Amino acid sequence: MANTAPTGHTPTEAPDRPCNADFLKRPQVAAKVSMENKVRAVEEFTRDEKVSATAATSLLRRPDVAFKAMGDDTARFQVNHAQNERSRQAREDFDRTSPVAPAVRHIERSMEFLDLVTAFHSFVAAAGRIVPSLRNHAFGDDERAIVHENVARCRATLDWVETAVDTGKVDVDDELARLLKDE
């Protein structure tokens, strides 16, 4: 006969009933358990992915806990990565399954086109407003070097835009990447 525990269960058999952690709600008991041991107990109970996800979701619904958790760079990175991955998966699913996906893609392309034209317009308008005000400005060597460097960056970017529009190739070559990195 199997060795039974006082509960009537074998030592390897877990009873299917709620775990009662009410003893930790008693201040005199909770004070005797170190934070390290409390964390260890939580980690032990959350080894299972489903349990971990449910517990983390529940804990992150508490604003003070979420705020403190986001103070940890690794936790914040993992949450941001998960959000981006979820968003990417949702977008792929939408593109694959939604009957309106082609219309949305068309609208997005139109918006991107308008963003590009607006960027050109903003640059031309700003230059048209600023350059005339420089009429009597004597540029120093450092100032001239900075302006020439930025003009080169703009020319390289404009060449990139023209290539993208004419060929559909949007890859950034090494030289342009270096110029844009300085931005």
Side-chain angles (χ1 to χ4, degrees):
M1 178 162 184
N3 183 15
T4 59
T7 61
H9 298 284
T10 61
T12 58
E13 183 183 331
D16 188 21
R17 60 180 176 213
C19 177
N20 190 348
D22 285 343
F23 72 95
L24 287 177
K25 291 181 182 175
R26 290 182 266 164
Q28 66 273 21
V29 173
K32 292 180 182 176
V33 180
S34 71
M35 184 168 139
E36 181 180 286
N37 284 331
K38 290 175 187 174
V39 169
R40 194 173 315 143
V42 169
E43 287 173 346
E44 188 64 36
F45 281 114
T46 57
R47 287 184 191 269
D48 178 82
E49 286 291 317
K50 288 180 181 180
V51 173
S52 296
T54 302
T57 300
S58 179
L59 291 169
L60 288 172
R61 286 187 179 125
R62 294 169 42 189
D64 58 326
V65 172
F67 181 80
K68 288 175 183 167
M70 293 306 100
D72 180 283
D73 291 341
T74 303
R76 188 175 55 253
F77 173 81
Q78 291 296 343
V79 168
N80 288 337
H81 178 74
Q83 287 175 319
N84 289 333
E85 185 61 21
R86 273 254 192 216
S87 178
R88 186 191 62 73
Q89 288 174 358
R91 179 56 192 247
E92 285 177 357
D93 183 56
F94 174 82
D95 287 345
R96 199 174 43 255
T97 61
S98 176
V100 298
V104 170
R105 276 193 299 277
H106 178 73
I107 291 168
E108 286 173 341
R109 286 188 184 122
S110 295
M111 289 172 52
E112 290 163 354
F113 170 77
L114 289 174
D115 286 345
L116 185 61
V117 171
T118 300
F120 293 143
H121 176 74
S122 296
F123 173 76
V124 170
R129 187 177 63 257
I130 295 167
V131 172
S133 71
L134 301 174
R135 184 175 314 275
N136 296 321
H137 185 88
F139 287 94
D141 291 341
D142 290 343
E143 291 174 318
R144 264 196 307 284
I146 291 170
V147 169
H148 285 286
E149 184 180 308
N150 281 288
V151 166
R153 184 178 294 131
C154 288
R155 280 193 181 116
T157 302
L158 291 171
D159 288 344
W160 178 42
V161 170
E162 281 185 331
T163 299
V165 168
D166 293 343
T167 68
K169 181 181 174 228
V170 296
D171 298 336
V172 178
D173 64 24
D174 292 339
E175 180 64 19
L176 179 60
R178 185 188 62 74
L179 287 170
L180 293 177
K181 187 177 126 186
D182 293 339
E183 182 56 33

